[in-house]
Amino acid sequence: MRSNKLVFLLAFLLLGSLENIEAKADSEFSLLVHFRKYSHHNPFQKGTPYQKKIPAIRLDERTALALLKPGEVPLFAEVHPEESAGRKAYFQKVDLDTGLGIVLLPENFGRSKKVSPIALLEEGVRTQGVCSSFFPNFEWGSLEFSKSILPLSKLSRKENQDGTRSFLFSGKKVCGFTDGTWNAGADLLRRFYQSRFSSASPFPHPGFSAEGSLTPAEEDYYFPKGSVGAVVSEILPGIGPMHNLFPGDAVLSVNGTPVASKQKQVLYDILLSKGGSYLNSGEWVALSLYRDGRKREIRYQLRPYNEDSFLIPESSDKIAPKYIIAGGLLFTELTHTYLKEYGEKYKSSSDRKLVYLAESYSKKLHPERSRIVLLSRAFPDEKNRAYQEFQDLILESVNDKVVDSVEGLKTAISENKDEFLVFRFSGNKLAVFDKSELKSLDERIKSLYSLDSLDNIR
């Protein structure tokens, strides 16, 4: 009798697991997504095309949600390419930082032999429901290769090294997704789906970092007697309340709710949620601060994470690195990606001054520049032979006009009225061109190297 019960139990468990597998196979399908990889050292190249399959679920008749890797910019996707070639699907919206994408399916998708049913997103994954086993705890953290601060559940051990993503299922319900390090709930998928007609990400970033581990002496210094909170350590330009919040400010309360803890998790909880619901980008928050012995109040709008205002971002552009060629000299912008193209040991193999700048000023503003413009290298030609050894030099000015970006460089060249163009670089190195000779040199470089354009400034 006992053995019969055991067999019945095993059969029941096997049946349940098969049901999950079947539900997953029904609800999830693969998209063959096409990408283009650009070189930051050779931004004038068209980019190397590549493709890979990513998981997707259908959320309504014509819309699917896909799991990309953060930072990937898709061109388009193919639905069931093995069944019918050329059935393209296009991305309505992609959040580059979280890697979530909304896909518009082709009109004839419903006539496919492999139509996936509309997925059911589970509600209330925090409660003791069918999905609770995926979320034993919640904390504010960032997905692999992402900077957004989200409510996530960390896995007890890392399941993969490359951040490969997959959906989480329980029965016919979609519980969320995982990247092998964190599990994210279906509520995040729902929030993103609801934002599909907006260009902005719905997931706000606090805009600043806070230090919670303070010594008793530091607490006495930063906080009024009897108060507790978190001390601001860094403000992110373009995201947080720049010029209103400063390192060393002690945050006492958010929207009238006392922080009442030195733990960063408590601060994020009252800053990014309210009444059990998560706040979306665009909502306003009010901070009560203690600074220089006085209480202050500031109010700012929550924004999603982005690096548009960083002096040295991770990558230079959402599509391709910006560049301009003048006098056969290739100018682009300094980014972390540019340095990493030197290889895994880029910190020792690339210019140390550029590495220092990237590590020290990546999340800061500059009073005169929005980007650091680099002379990457020179295209060899008889007319620029004197400068062919120039490489990885910071461009300071053109005819004494400070260059603040690649766009600014193009403007400085086109608006210059002098007979000569004088490029001044770091280390007080100069490159001088007669303007008429420079024009003919660039046309020759363009023809010789089969370049489509001398710049990609839009």
Side-chain angles (χ1 to χ4, degrees):
M1 180 69 70
R2 192 171 175 181
S3 61
N4 289 340
K5 287 185 177 180
L6 181 60
V7 171
F8 177 79
L9 178 61
L10 289 173
F12 178 79
L13 292 175
L14 178 61
L15 185 62
S17 63
L18 287 174
E19 181 184 352
N20 285 350
I21 293 172
E22 184 180 357
K24 178 174 180 178
D26 286 345
S27 301
E28 182 181 308
F29 62 96
S30 291
L31 287 172
L32 183 65
V33 182
H34 294 252
F35 303 88
R36 192 176 292 278
K37 182 176 177 60
Y38 294 94
S39 168
H40 287 245
H41 286 188
N42 303 292
F44 53 88
Q45 294 179 344
K46 293 181 180 179
T48 305
Y50 68 100
Q51 58 193 39
K52 66 178 181 179
K53 289 186 177 181
I54 64 170
I57 54 174
R58 193 160 62 113
L59 296 182
D60 61 36
E61 292 299 327
R62 288 286 312 281
T63 308
L65 191 145
L67 299 179
L68 299 156
K69 183 178 178 180
E72 290 183 331
V73 182
L75 299 175
F76 63 91
E78 291 182 68
V79 182
H80 303 316
E82 72 285 352
E83 179 186 308
S84 176
R87 299 182 64 227
K88 293 182 179 179
Y90 295 94
F91 284 83
Q92 179 183 17
K93 177 176 181 176
V94 175
D95 181 8
L96 291 182
D97 191 63
T98 61
L100 298 180
I102 296 291
V103 182
L104 294 179
L105 299 170
E107 291 185 5
N108 60 352
F109 180 75
R111 295 194 293 272
S112 170
K113 297 176 184 178
K114 300 180 180 180
V115 177
S116 300
I118 294 175
L120 302 174
L121 298 181
E122 172 67 344
E123 297 184 12
V125 295
R126 284 177 179 263
T127 61
Q128 296 298 315
V130 296
C131 294
S132 58
S133 62
F134 292 116
F135 308 101
N137 55 71
F138 271 92
E139 61 181 283
W140 294 95
S142 298
L143 295 163
E144 291 286 279
F145 312 109
S146 172
K147 300 291 193 306
S148 295
I149 307 296
L150 304 170
L152 306 168
S153 183
K154 195 165 190 176
L155 302 180
S156 57
R157 61 182 180 84
K158 198 167 185 176
E159 294 184 354
N160 63 62
Q161 298 297 320
D162 61 359
T164 300
R165 297 181 164 194
S166 59
F167 288 101
L168 299 172
F169 291 87
S170 179
K172 295 186 177 181
K173 294 290 185 71
V174 179
C175 298
F177 68 95
T178 183
D179 63 8
T181 300
W182 298 90
N183 286 351
D187 53 325
L188 294 180
L189 302 178
R190 184 179 292 103
R191 285 170 66 189
F192 187 69
Y193 173 66
Q194 291 171 347
S195 75
R196 63 193 182 279
F197 299 115
S198 168
S199 60
S201 167
F203 309 118
H205 191 280
F208 64 92
S209 300
E211 180 59 57
S213 55
L214 302 173
T215 66
E218 287 173 328
E219 290 178 19
D220 291 340
Y221 175 80
Y222 286 113
F223 293 94
K225 190 173 183 179
S227 297
V228 134
V231 176
V232 175
S233 57
E234 183 180 44
I235 302 97
L236 303 183
I239 306 172
M242 285 293 293
H243 312 304
N244 284 323
L245 194 65
F246 301 93
D249 285 350
V251 182
L252 303 175
S253 68
V254 179
N255 293 331
T257 301
V259 177
S261 173
K262 294 183 288 184
Q263 298 299 316
K264 203 163 20 176
Q265 291 292 327
V266 174
L267 174 64
Y268 287 155
D269 205 42
I270 60 176
L271 186 60
L272 300 176
S273 65
K274 185 177 181 180
S277 299
Y278 300 119
L279 298 181
N280 288 326
S281 299
E283 301 194 50
W284 290 83
V285 294
L287 305 183
S288 179
L289 312 172
Y290 193 67
R291 179 195 304 159
D292 297 331
R294 294 174 52 194
K295 284 189 176 181
R296 304 168 188 264
E297 303 287 333
I298 70 165
R299 188 169 177 265
Y300 73 102
Q301 199 172 19
L302 291 172
R303 295 182 176 89
Y305 182 86
N306 74 78
E307 299 185 355
D308 291 346
S309 299
F310 290 10
L311 177 64
I312 305 174
E314 276 294 322
S315 182
S316 66
D317 193 78
K318 293 181 176 65
I319 300 175
K322 297 174 184 175
Y323 76 92
I324 183 171
I325 298 170
L329 306 181
L330 172 62
F331 296 95
T332 187
E333 294 176 345
L334 177 60
T335 66
H336 288 267
T337 305
Y338 179 91
L339 293 175
K340 289 176 182 177
E341 284 191 11
Y342 279 104
E344 292 183 3
K345 298 182 179 179
Y346 71 92
K347 291 186 179 181
S348 59
S349 59
S350 58
D351 187 283
R352 291 189 178 184
K353 182 169 67 175
L354 299 183
V355 174
Y356 169 78
L357 285 171
E359 292 181 345
S360 302
Y361 295 96
S362 61
K363 297 178 182 178
K364 294 179 174 61
L365 292 172
H366 191 279
E368 293 181 321
R369 306 168 189 263
S370 58
R371 291 284 190 272
I372 291 179
V373 178
L374 284 179
L375 166 58
S376 180
R377 67 176 185 279
F379 289 90
D381 189 273
E382 183 67 25
K383 294 295 185 180
N384 65 10
R385 184 170 54 181
Y387 315 120
Q388 287 172 18
E389 298 301 318
F390 285 14
Q391 183 175 2
D392 288 347
L393 298 179
I394 297 173
L395 179 62
E396 301 287 355
S397 63
V398 174
N399 290 49
D400 294 326
K401 181 177 181 180
V402 174
V403 175
D404 63 349
S405 61
V406 169
E407 293 94 337
L409 171 59
K410 184 175 182 178
T411 300
I413 293 173
S414 63
E415 294 182 352
N416 188 276
K417 305 298 182 184
D418 299 332
E419 185 179 350
F420 292 89
L421 279 171
V422 181
F423 299 90
R424 185 180 296 276
F425 302 99
S426 54
N428 206 29
K429 293 183 177 181
L430 299 176
V432 183
F433 293 92
D434 178 279
K435 287 180 70 174
S436 59
E437 288 184 352
L438 180 140
K439 185 175 181 180
S440 62
L441 169 60
D442 282 341
E443 289 303 318
R444 189 163 63 251
I445 292 289
K446 184 178 179 182
S447 174
L448 183 62
Y449 290 91
S450 302
L451 302 177
D452 290 338
S453 175
L454 292 172
D455 70 77
N456 65 347
I457 308 304
R458 293 173 290 277

